[in-house]
Coordinates of all heavy atoms in Angstrom, one line a residue:
M28 N 0.8 -1.2 0.0 CA 0.0 0.0 0.0 C 0.9 1.3 0.0 O 0.5 2.2 -0.6 CB -0.9 0.0 1.2 CG -2.0 1.0 1.1 SD -3.0 0.8 -0.5 CE -4.5 0.2 0.0
P29 N 2.0 1.3 0.7 CA 2.8 2.5 0.7 C 3.2 3.0 -0.7 O 3.2 4.2 -1.0 CB 4.0 2.2 1.5 CG 3.6 1.1 2.4 CD 2.6 0.3 1.6
I30 N 3.5 2.0 -1.6 CA 3.9 2.4 -3.0 C 2.7 3.1 -3.7 O 2.9 4.0 -4.5 CB 4.4 1.1 -3.7 CG1 5.7 0.7 -3.2 CG2 4.5 1.4 -5.2 CD1 6.2 -0.7 -3.7
F31 N 1.5 2.6 -3.5 CA 0.3 3.2 -4.1 C 0.2 4.7 -3.8 O -0.3 5.4 -4.7 CB -1.0 2.5 -3.5 CG -2.2 2.9 -4.1 CD1 -2.6 2.6 -5.4 CD2 -3.1 3.7 -3.4 CE1 -3.8 3.1 -6.0 CE2 -4.3 4.2 -3.9 CZ -4.6 3.9 -5.2
Y32 N 0.6 5.1 -2.6 CA 0.6 6.5 -2.3 C 1.9 7.3 -2.5 O 2.0 8.4 -2.2 CB 0.2 6.7 -0.8 CG -1.3 6.3 -0.5 CD1 -1.6 5.0 0.0 CD2 -2.3 7.1 -0.9 CE1 -2.9 4.7 0.2 CE2 -3.6 6.7 -0.7 CZ -3.9 5.5 -0.1 OH -5.2 5.1 0.1
G33 N 2.8 6.6 -3.1 CA 4.0 7.3 -3.5 C 5.1 7.3 -2.5 O 6.1 8.0 -2.6
F34 N 5.0 6.5 -1.4 CA 6.0 6.5 -0.4 C 7.2 5.6 -0.9 O 6.9 4.5 -1.4 CB 5.5 6.0 0.9 CG 4.4 6.9 1.5 CD1 3.1 6.5 1.6 CD2 4.8 8.2 1.9 CE1 2.1 7.3 2.1 CE2 3.8 9.0 2.4 CZ 2.5 8.6 2.5
K35 N 8.4 6.0 -0.7 CA 9.5 5.3 -1.1 C 10.2 4.5 0.0 O 11.0 3.6 -0.2 CB 10.6 6.2 -1.7 CG 10.1 7.1 -2.8 CD 9.8 6.3 -4.0 CE 9.4 7.2 -5.2 NZ 8.7 6.6 -6.2
S36 N 9.9 4.9 1.3 CA 10.5 4.2 2.4 C 9.4 3.9 3.4 O 8.4 4.7 3.6 CB 11.5 5.2 3.1 OG 12.5 5.5 2.3
Y37 N 9.5 2.7 4.0 CA 8.4 2.3 4.9 C 9.0 1.3 5.9 O 9.8 0.4 5.5 CB 7.3 1.6 4.1 CG 6.3 0.9 5.0 CD1 5.2 1.6 5.5 CD2 6.3 -0.5 5.2 CE1 4.2 1.0 6.3 CE2 5.4 -1.1 5.9 CZ 4.3 -0.4 6.5 OH 3.4 -1.0 7.2
V38 N 8.7 1.4 7.2 CA 9.1 0.5 8.2 C 7.9 0.2 9.1 O 7.0 1.1 9.3 CB 10.3 0.9 9.0 CG1 11.6 1.0 8.2 CG2 10.1 2.1 9.8
S39 N 7.8 -1.0 9.7 CA 6.7 -1.3 10.6 C 7.3 -2.3 11.6 O 7.9 -3.3 11.2 CB 5.6 -2.0 9.8 OG 4.6 -2.3 10.7
F40 N 7.1 -1.9 12.9 CA 7.6 -2.8 14.0 C 6.4 -3.1 14.9 O 5.6 -2.2 15.2 CB 8.7 -2.0 14.8 CG 10.0 -2.0 14.1 CD1 10.3 -1.2 13.0 CD2 11.0 -2.8 14.6 CE1 11.5 -1.2 12.4 CE2 12.3 -2.8 13.9 CZ 12.5 -2.0 12.9
P41 N 6.4 -4.3 15.4 CA 5.3 -4.7 16.3 C 5.4 -4.0 17.7 O 6.5 -3.8 18.2 CB 5.4 -6.2 16.4 CG 6.8 -6.5 16.2 CD 7.3 -5.4 15.2
V42 N 4.3 -3.6 18.3 CA 4.3 -3.1 19.6 C 3.7 -4.2 20.5 O 2.6 -4.6 20.4 CB 3.4 -1.8 19.7 CG1 3.3 -1.3 21.1 CG2 3.9 -0.7 18.8
I43 N 4.6 -4.7 21.4 CA 4.2 -5.7 22.3 C 4.1 -5.1 23.7 O 5.0 -4.5 24.2 CB 5.2 -6.9 22.3 CG1 5.5 -7.4 20.9 CG2 4.8 -8.0 23.3 CD1 4.3 -8.0 20.2
L44 N 3.0 -5.3 24.4 CA 2.8 -4.8 25.7 C 3.5 -5.6 26.8 O 4.0 -6.7 26.5 CB 1.3 -4.7 26.1 CG 0.4 -3.9 25.1 CD1 -1.0 -3.9 25.6 CD2 0.9 -2.4 25.1
A45 N 3.6 -5.0 28.0 CA 4.4 -5.7 29.0 C 3.9 -7.1 29.4 O 4.7 -7.9 29.9 CB 4.4 -4.8 30.3
D46 N 2.6 -7.3 29.1 CA 2.1 -8.7 29.4 C 2.3 -9.6 28.3 O 1.8 -10.8 28.3 CB 0.6 -8.6 29.8 CG -0.3 -8.2 28.6 OD1 0.2 -7.8 27.5 OD2 -1.5 -8.2 28.7
G47 N 3.0 -9.2 27.3 CA 3.3 -10.1 26.1 C 2.3 -10.0 25.0 O 2.5 -10.7 24.0
S48 N 1.3 -9.3 25.2 CA 0.2 -9.2 24.1 C 0.6 -8.2 23.0 O 1.3 -7.2 23.3 CB -1.1 -8.9 24.7 OG -1.1 -7.6 25.3
F49 N 0.1 -8.5 21.8 CA 0.4 -7.7 20.7 C -0.7 -6.5 20.7 O -1.9 -6.8 20.8 CB 0.2 -8.5 19.4 CG 0.3 -7.7 18.1 CD1 1.5 -7.3 17.6 CD2 -0.9 -7.4 17.4 CE1 1.5 -6.5 16.4 CE2 -0.9 -6.7 16.3 CZ 0.3 -6.2 15.8
Y50 N -0.2 -5.3 20.6 CA -1.1 -4.1 20.6 C -1.3 -3.7 19.1 O -2.5 -3.3 18.8 CB -0.5 -3.0 21.4 CG -1.4 -1.8 21.4 CD1 -2.5 -1.7 22.3 CD2 -1.2 -0.7 20.6 CE1 -3.3 -0.6 22.3 CE2 -2.0 0.4 20.5 CZ -3.1 0.4 21.4 OH -3.9 1.5 21.4
G51 N -0.3 -3.6 18.4 CA -0.4 -3.0 17.0 C 1.0 -2.8 16.4 O 1.9 -3.5 16.9
T52 N 1.1 -1.9 15.5 CA 2.4 -1.7 14.9 C 2.8 -0.2 15.0 O 1.9 0.6 14.9 CB 2.6 -2.2 13.5 OG1 1.5 -1.5 12.7 CG2 2.4 -3.7 13.4
L53 N 4.1 0.1 15.1 CA 4.5 1.5 14.9 C 5.1 1.5 13.5 O 6.0 0.8 13.2 CB 5.6 1.8 16.0 CG 6.2 3.2 15.9 CD1 5.2 4.2 16.3 CD2 7.4 3.3 16.8
C54 N 4.6 2.4 12.7 CA 5.0 2.5 11.3 C 5.6 3.9 11.0 O 5.2 4.9 11.7 CB 3.8 2.3 10.4 SG 3.0 0.7 10.6
A55 N 6.5 3.9 10.1 CA 7.0 5.2 9.6 C 7.1 5.1 8.1 O 7.4 4.1 7.5 CB 8.5 5.4 10.1
I56 N 6.7 6.2 7.5 CA 6.6 6.3 6.0 C 7.3 7.6 5.6 O 7.3 8.6 6.3 CB 5.2 6.2 5.5 CG1 4.3 7.3 6.1 CG2 4.6 4.9 5.6 CD1 2.9 7.4 5.6
D57 N 7.9 7.6 4.4 CA 8.6 8.8 3.9 C 8.5 8.7 2.4 O 8.7 7.7 1.7 CB 10.0 8.7 4.3 CG 10.7 10.1 4.1 OD1 10.5 10.8 3.1 OD2 11.6 10.4 5.0
P58 N 8.2 9.9 1.7 CA 8.1 9.9 0.3 C 9.5 9.9 -0.4 O 9.6 9.7 -1.6 CB 7.4 11.3 0.0 CG 7.7 12.1 1.2 CD 7.8 11.2 2.3
M59 N 10.5 10.1 0.4 CA 11.9 10.0 -0.1 C 12.5 8.6 0.2 O 12.2 8.0 1.2 CB 12.8 11.1 0.6 CG 12.3 12.5 0.4 SD 12.2 13.0 -1.4 CE 14.0 13.0 -1.7
P60 N 13.4 8.2 -0.7 CA 14.1 6.9 -0.4 C 15.0 7.1 0.8 O 15.8 8.0 0.8 CB 14.8 6.6 -1.7 CG 14.4 7.6 -2.7 CD 13.7 8.7 -2.0
R61 N 14.9 6.2 1.7 CA 15.8 6.2 2.9 C 16.3 4.8 3.1 O 15.7 3.8 2.9 CB 15.0 6.6 4.1 CG 14.2 7.9 4.0 CD 15.1 9.1 4.1 NE 14.3 10.3 3.9 CZ 14.8 11.5 3.8 NH1 16.1 11.7 3.8 NH2 14.0 12.5 3.6
L62 N 17.5 4.7 3.7 CA 18.1 3.5 4.1 C 17.5 3.2 5.5 O 17.8 3.8 6.5 CB 19.6 3.5 4.2 CG 20.3 2.3 4.7 CD1 20.0 1.1 3.8 CD2 21.8 2.5 4.8
V63 N 16.5 2.2 5.5 CA 15.9 1.9 6.8 C 16.3 0.6 7.3 O 15.8 0.2 8.4 CB 14.3 2.0 6.6 CG1 13.9 3.4 6.3 CG2 13.9 1.0 5.6
S64 N 17.2 -0.1 6.7 CA 17.7 -1.4 7.1 C 19.0 -1.3 7.8 O 19.5 -2.4 8.3 CB 17.7 -2.4 6.0 OG 18.7 -1.9 5.0
G65 N 19.6 -0.1 8.0 CA 20.8 0.0 8.7 C 20.7 -0.3 10.2 O 19.6 0.0 10.8
A66 N 21.7 -0.8 10.8 CA 21.7 -1.2 12.3 C 21.3 0.0 13.1 O 20.5 -0.1 14.1 CB 23.0 -1.8 12.7
A67 N 21.9 1.2 12.8 CA 21.6 2.4 13.7 C 20.1 2.8 13.6 O 19.5 3.1 14.6 CB 22.5 3.5 13.3
T68 N 19.6 2.8 12.4 CA 18.2 3.1 12.1 C 17.2 2.1 12.9 O 16.3 2.6 13.5 CB 17.8 3.2 10.6 OG1 18.7 4.1 10.0 CG2 16.4 3.6 10.4
I69 N 17.5 0.9 12.7 CA 16.7 -0.1 13.4 C 16.8 0.0 14.9 O 15.7 -0.1 15.6 CB 17.1 -1.6 12.9 CG1 16.8 -1.8 11.5 CG2 16.5 -2.6 13.8 CD1 17.3 -3.0 10.9
A70 N 17.9 0.3 15.4 CA 18.1 0.5 16.9 C 17.3 1.7 17.4 O 16.6 1.6 18.4 CB 19.6 0.7 17.2
I71 N 17.3 2.8 16.6 CA 16.5 3.9 17.0 C 15.0 3.6 17.0 O 14.2 4.0 17.9 CB 16.8 5.1 16.1 CG1 18.2 5.6 16.4 CG2 15.8 6.3 16.3 CD1 18.7 6.6 15.4
I72 N 14.5 2.9 16.0 CA 13.1 2.6 15.9 C 12.7 1.6 17.0 O 11.7 1.8 17.6 CB 12.7 2.1 14.5 CG1 13.0 3.1 13.4 CG2 11.3 1.6 14.4 CD1 12.9 2.6 12.0
E73 N 13.6 0.7 17.3 CA 13.3 -0.3 18.4 C 13.2 0.5 19.7 O 12.4 0.1 20.5 CB 14.3 -1.4 18.4 CG 14.2 -2.4 17.3 CD 15.3 -3.4 17.2 OE1 16.4 -3.2 17.7 OE2 15.0 -4.5 16.6
D74 N 14.1 1.5 19.9 CA 14.0 2.3 21.1 C 12.6 3.0 21.2 O 12.0 3.0 22.3 CB 15.1 3.3 21.2 CG 16.5 2.7 21.5 OD1 16.5 1.5 22.0 OD2 17.5 3.4 21.3
C75 N 12.2 3.5 20.1 CA 10.9 4.2 20.1 C 9.8 3.2 20.4 O 8.8 3.5 21.1 CB 10.7 4.9 18.7 SG 11.7 6.3 18.4
V76 N 9.8 2.0 19.8 CA 8.8 1.0 20.0 C 8.8 0.6 21.5 O 7.7 0.5 22.1 CB 9.0 -0.2 19.1 CG1 8.1 -1.4 19.5 CG2 8.8 0.1 17.7
R77 N 10.0 0.5 22.1 CA 10.0 0.1 23.6 C 9.4 1.3 24.4 O 8.6 1.0 25.3 CB 11.4 -0.1 24.0 CG 11.9 -1.5 23.8 CD 13.2 -1.8 24.5 NE 14.4 -1.1 23.8 CZ 15.0 -1.6 22.8 NH1 14.6 -2.7 22.2 NH2 16.0 -0.9 22.3
D78 N 9.6 2.5 24.0 CA 9.0 3.6 24.8 C 7.5 3.6 24.6 O 6.8 3.8 25.6 CB 9.6 5.0 24.3 CG 11.1 5.2 24.7 OD1 11.6 4.4 25.6 OD2 11.7 6.1 24.1
V79 N 7.0 3.5 23.4 CA 5.6 3.4 23.1 C 5.0 2.3 23.9 O 3.9 2.4 24.5 CB 5.3 3.3 21.6 CG1 3.8 3.0 21.3 CG2 5.7 4.6 20.9
S80 N 5.6 1.1 23.9 CA 5.1 -0.1 24.6 C 5.0 0.2 26.1 O 4.0 -0.1 26.7 CB 6.0 -1.3 24.3 OG 5.5 -2.4 25.1
A81 N 6.0 0.8 26.6 CA 6.0 1.1 28.1 C 4.9 2.1 28.4 O 4.2 1.9 29.4 CB 7.4 1.6 28.5
L82 N 4.7 3.1 27.6 CA 3.7 4.1 27.9 C 2.3 3.4 27.8 O 1.4 3.7 28.6 CB 3.8 5.3 26.9 CG 5.0 6.2 27.1 CD1 5.2 7.1 26.0 CD2 4.8 7.0 28.4
L83 N 2.1 2.7 26.7 CA 0.8 2.0 26.6 C 0.5 1.0 27.7 O -0.6 0.9 28.2 CB 0.7 1.3 25.2 CG 0.6 2.2 24.0 CD1 0.7 1.4 22.7 CD2 -0.8 3.0 24.0
S84 N 1.5 0.2 28.0 CA 1.4 -0.8 29.1 C 1.0 -0.1 30.4 O 0.1 -0.6 31.1 CB 2.7 -1.6 29.2 OG 2.9 -2.4 28.1
A85 N 1.7 1.0 30.7 CA 1.4 1.7 32.0 C 0.0 2.3 32.0 O -0.6 2.3 33.1 CB 2.5 2.8 32.2
R86 N -0.5 2.7 30.8 CA -1.8 3.3 30.8 C -2.9 2.3 30.7 O -4.0 2.4 31.3 CB -1.8 4.2 29.5 CG -3.1 4.9 29.3 CD -2.8 6.3 29.6 NE -4.0 7.1 29.1 CZ -4.3 8.3 29.6 NH1 -3.5 8.7 30.6 NH2 -5.3 8.9 29.2
L87 N -2.7 1.2 29.9 CA -3.8 0.3 29.6 C -3.9 -0.9 30.5 O -5.0 -1.3 30.9 CB -3.7 -0.3 28.2 CG -3.8 0.7 27.0 CD1 -3.5 0.1 25.7 CD2 -5.2 1.3 27.0
L88 N -2.8 -1.5 30.9 CA -2.9 -2.7 31.6 C -3.5 -2.6 33.0 O -4.3 -3.5 33.4 CB -1.5 -3.4 31.7 CG -0.9 -3.9 30.3 CD1 0.5 -4.5 30.5 CD2 -1.9 -4.9 29.7
P89 N -3.2 -1.6 33.8 CA -3.9 -1.5 35.1 C -5.4 -1.4 34.9 O -6.1 -2.0 35.7 CB -3.3 -0.2 35.7 CG -2.0 0.0 35.0 CD -2.2 -0.5 33.6
H90 N -5.9 -0.7 33.9 CA -7.3 -0.5 33.7 C -7.9 -1.9 33.3 O -9.0 -2.2 33.7 CB -7.6 0.5 32.7 CG -7.2 1.9 33.1 ND1 -7.8 2.6 34.1 CD2 -6.2 2.7 32.6 CE1 -7.2 3.8 34.3 NE2 -6.2 3.8 33.4
L91 N -7.2 -2.6 32.4 CA -7.8 -3.9 32.0 C -7.8 -4.9 33.1 O -8.8 -5.6 33.3 CB -6.9 -4.4 30.8 CG -7.0 -3.7 29.5 CD1 -6.0 -4.2 28.5 CD2 -8.4 -3.8 28.9
M92 N -6.7 -4.9 33.9 CA -6.7 -5.9 35.0 C -7.8 -5.5 36.1 O -8.4 -6.4 36.6 CB -5.3 -5.9 35.7 CG -4.2 -6.4 34.7 SD -4.6 -8.1 34.1 CE -4.7 -7.7 32.4
A93 N -8.0 -4.2 36.3 CA -9.0 -3.8 37.3 C -10.4 -4.2 36.8 O -11.3 -4.5 37.6 CB -8.9 -2.3 37.5
A94 N -10.6 -4.2 35.5 CA -11.9 -4.5 35.0 C -12.0 -6.1 34.8 O -13.1 -6.5 34.4 CB -12.1 -3.9 33.6
G95 N -11.0 -6.8 35.2 CA -11.1 -8.3 35.1 C -10.9 -8.8 33.7 O -11.2 -9.9 33.4
A96 N -10.3 -8.0 32.8 CA -10.1 -8.4 31.4 C -8.9 -9.3 31.4 O -8.0 -9.3 32.1 CB -9.9 -7.2 30.5
T97 N -9.0 -10.3 30.4 CA -7.8 -11.1 30.2 C -6.9 -10.5 29.2 O -7.2 -9.5 28.6 CB -8.3 -12.5 29.6 OG1 -8.8 -12.2 28.3 CG2 -9.3 -13.1 30.4
T98 N -5.7 -11.0 29.0 CA -4.8 -10.4 28.1 C -5.2 -10.6 26.7 O -4.7 -10.0 25.8 CB -3.4 -11.1 28.3 OG1 -3.5 -12.5 28.1 CG2 -2.8 -10.7 29.6
D99 N -6.3 -11.4 26.4 CA -6.8 -11.6 25.1 C -7.9 -10.6 24.8 O -8.5 -10.7 23.7 CB -7.3 -13.0 24.9 CG -6.2 -14.1 25.0 OD1 -5.1 -13.7 24.7 OD2 -6.5 -15.2 25.5
A100 N -8.2 -9.7 25.7 CA -9.3 -8.8 25.5 C -9.0 -7.8 24.4 O -7.8 -7.5 24.2 CB -9.6 -8.0 26.8
P101 N -10.0 -7.4 23.6 CA -9.7 -6.4 22.5 C -9.2 -5.1 23.1 O -9.6 -4.7 24.2 CB -11.1 -6.2 21.9 CG -12.0 -7.3 22.4 CD -11.4 -7.8 23.7
R102 N -8.3 -4.6 22.4 CA -7.6 -3.3 22.9 C -7.9 -2.2 21.8 O -8.0 -2.6 20.6 CB -6.2 -3.5 23.0 CG -5.8 -4.3 24.2 CD -4.3 -4.4 24.4 NE -4.0 -5.0 25.7 CZ -4.1 -6.3 26.0 NH1 -4.6 -7.1 25.1 NH2 -3.8 -6.7 27.2
P103 N -8.0 -1.0 22.2 CA -8.2 0.1 21.2 C -7.0 0.1 20.3 O -5.9 -0.1 20.6 CB -8.2 1.3 22.1 CG -7.9 1.0 23.4 CD -7.8 -0.5 23.6
Q104 N -7.3 0.3 19.0 CA -6.3 0.4 18.0 C -6.2 1.7 17.4 O -7.2 2.4 17.3 CB -6.6 -0.7 16.9 CG -6.6 -2.1 17.3 CD -5.2 -2.6 17.7 OE1 -4.2 -2.3 17.0 NE2 -5.1 -3.3 18.8
A105 N -5.0 2.1 16.9 CA -4.9 3.4 16.3 C -5.7 3.3 14.9 O -5.7 2.3 14.3 CB -3.4 3.7 16.0
G106 N -6.3 4.4 14.6 CA -7.1 4.5 13.4 C -6.3 5.0 12.3 O -6.4 4.9 11.2

């Protein structure tokens, strides 16, 4: 799909919450060609994914556990 809109660079990394459940993906797109497979670029994106995961886990998991939800409960997804 990124090519359809003219994007030349695209990365997508899974966001895994602290309980091990999959939340969604963190994606980056760019209309310019970029080297996104370099070790430094991957490390930076993985750091961002860890930060996003920690923030989401701190915000969502206490509420889900208080409500008695299981880790398989549907979670809000980015639109």
Side-chain angles (χ1 to χ4, degrees):
M28 196 53 108
I30 291 173
F31 181 75
Y32 291 103
F34 297 114
K35 306 292 185 194
S36 301
Y37 171 83
V38 295
S39 178
F40 283 74
V42 176
I43 307 297
L44 298 181
D46 68 352
S48 63
F49 173 78
Y50 180 81
T52 57
L53 180 70
C54 301
I56 54 177
D57 195 321
M59 301 298 294
R61 308 283 179 188
L62 177 61
V63 295
S64 60
T68 302
I69 291 172
I71 290 169
I72 297 169
E73 288 175 337
D74 286 345
C75 290
V76 170
R77 274 191 289 280
D78 290 346
V79 167
S80 176
L82 290 168
L83 288 170
S84 293
R86 181 111 168 153
L87 295 175
L88 293 179
H90 297 291
L91 290 172
M92 294 304 116
T97 67
T98 57
D99 296 330
R102 290 184 168 73
Q104 297 290 318

